[in-house]
Amino acid sequence: MSSTQQIASFRKVSAGILASAHLASQEDRPKVTKKEISLVLKRVAPALGIDGTAYHVLDILLGLVQPDDFQAGKRPVVAISNQRLAEYTRRTTRTVTRCLKKLVEAGVLAYRDSPTGRRYVYRGSEGALEQAYGLDFSPACFNLQAFKVQADAFQRRIKAEQEARRAVTRFSRAIADMAELEPAEFHGFAARAQTIVIRDELNVVEKAALLESLYAQVLALHEAHLLKNKDKMSCAGDIDVSPLFNTTPTDSLGSNSQRTCSNEQDTKFPPDNGEAVEMALEKEPCGGRTETQRPKSQVGRGGAGKFPETNLDGVSIGLIQSACSSVQAELGVGLSSWPALCGAAEQLRMLIGLSPSGYQLAVERQGRYLAAACLAVVAEKALRDPEHIASPGGYFRAMIDRAGEGKLHLHKSLHGLV
């Protein structure tokens, strides 16, 4: 049967309708199954612009077509009226007609019209089709491989756009945080970043690329300033100078109790083991020892994944993993161990827009475990309610300050997130 005979005279044909009719008229239809057709069509539907009522109509037709009709020598035809489809979808018949036309022009269906325009199927005594007029899925069988390629390309594009949106958020926040840290040097970069974000002529992938390049310039300038300041402050004889001690016994005995805040901040805690967390509270935050702090000899090592008697008291890696579900889904990482959490710190830092120097200072003050745990909490809160935290970087620094004062209750925040 020719393609012109399959299309009723009352239809206004288009190039897509004629192409689908031509495919339906061919006898060498590829061998496929209903399951394979259904999966591919539902994956490629967004790429073809099939959504809303059109997708609903497609789903109904896939449910009505018989699996055996996809075998060789048969024809996958669905005989259902527009009126019945309108009742199923709760739309008008004109809407259903437009949706069917979209499916035909997309190469999913073909019109197989009877001389009277009615849709019906006559089967023989053995169930074989003798006469079938209605909506034919034969074009989808021919276009199956092309649909697979199109669906894969669409999924890759969607994934790339998602990654780009995340990158736009990370880089713009990082640049804004650097501008807040040193307004005189980086205010212009923050304004340029804001200009890139609001440019409508750029797609999200292009915005991400521009912001990444701008952030690289910010980091290079920041490192250059740090190196320049270091060179200015250093001179011959400043390194390895032996300290002068008063030989008076009473003065030397009292020296430890008179340590100031500046001395405390200059102390470097080893970041590579759990001792850094314990030492954070063994030293006074700003003067004398508080009653809640105990000497190192009295601080016991906790069980696996937990650090008691510190700012991480009551915090386990399992609790962090349960509380930070959005962070793990957003970054595609698993926080199943403390090394894994510390390994994700760089991504978490960029996610909340914290400068490298800001995070390094937090590690030096409280150790890398507490710093990484605070990063995860701030990132989780920012992802769940972006409007609630205006400056995630400032929020993180405030948590580190509270930890230095012994007022941070991180386990309560984690339980609240759970």
Side-chain angles (χ1 to χ4, degrees), residues 257-268:
S257 61
Q258 300 297 326
R259 295 178 64 183
T260 63
C261 294
S262 59
N263 290 335
E264 188 64 28
Q265 293 173 356
D266 291 338
T267 302
K268 304 295 184 180

Side-chain angles (χ1 to χ4, degrees), residues 1-33:
M1 183 180 294
S2 65
S3 61
T4 56
Q5 292 174 325
Q6 293 179 3
I7 303 175
S9 58
F10 60 83
R11 296 194 187 280
K12 184 178 180 181
V13 298
S14 63
I17 293 176
L18 290 175
S20 295
H22 176 68
L23 292 176
S25 65
Q26 300 181 20
E27 297 298 334
D28 55 340
R29 188 177 72 245
K31 185 178 179 180
V32 297
T33 63

Side-chain angles (χ1 to χ4, degrees), residues 178 182 185-186 189 215-233 356-357:
M178 292 292 287
E182 299 182 22
E185 298 293 340
F186 301 111
F189 286 95
Y215 182 63
Q217 298 177 30
V218 170
L219 287 183
L221 182 60
H222 179 65
E223 292 176 0
H225 286 174
L226 290 179
L227 183 61
K228 182 178 179 180
N229 293 336
K230 182 178 180 181
D231 293 339
K232 288 183 177 180
M233 295 176 63
S357 59

Side-chain angles (χ1 to χ4, degrees), residues 16-96:
I17 293 176
L18 290 175
S20 295
H22 176 68
L23 292 176
S25 65
Q26 300 181 20
E27 297 298 334
D28 55 340
R29 188 177 72 245
K31 185 178 179 180
V32 297
T33 63
K34 176 184 175 179
K35 179 179 179 181
E36 189 177 9
I37 284 286
S38 300
L39 292 176
V40 173
L41 288 181
K42 290 186 177 181
R43 285 184 60 226
V44 79
L48 297 175
I50 300 172
D51 54 6
T53 305
Y55 186 88
H56 193 181
V57 170
L58 174 62
D59 192 49
I60 293 173
L61 296 178
L62 286 172
L64 293 176
V65 67
Q66 299 297 317
D68 293 340
D69 291 342
F70 286 95
Q71 297 179 2
K74 298 184 179 181
R75 186 167 292 276
V77 175
V78 179
I80 183 173
S81 65
N82 291 356
Q83 180 63 37
R84 184 59 60 87
L85 286 173
E87 294 174 0
Y88 287 161
T89 59
R90 295 181 179 271
R91 297 292 187 269
T92 63
T93 55
R94 290 179 63 86
T95 300
V96 169

Side-chain angles (χ1 to χ4, degrees), residues 387-403:
E387 302 297 331
H388 181 67
I389 302 179
S391 176
Y395 194 96
F396 171 81
R397 287 190 290 270
M399 292 182 68
I400 297 300
D401 291 341
R402 290 182 65 84

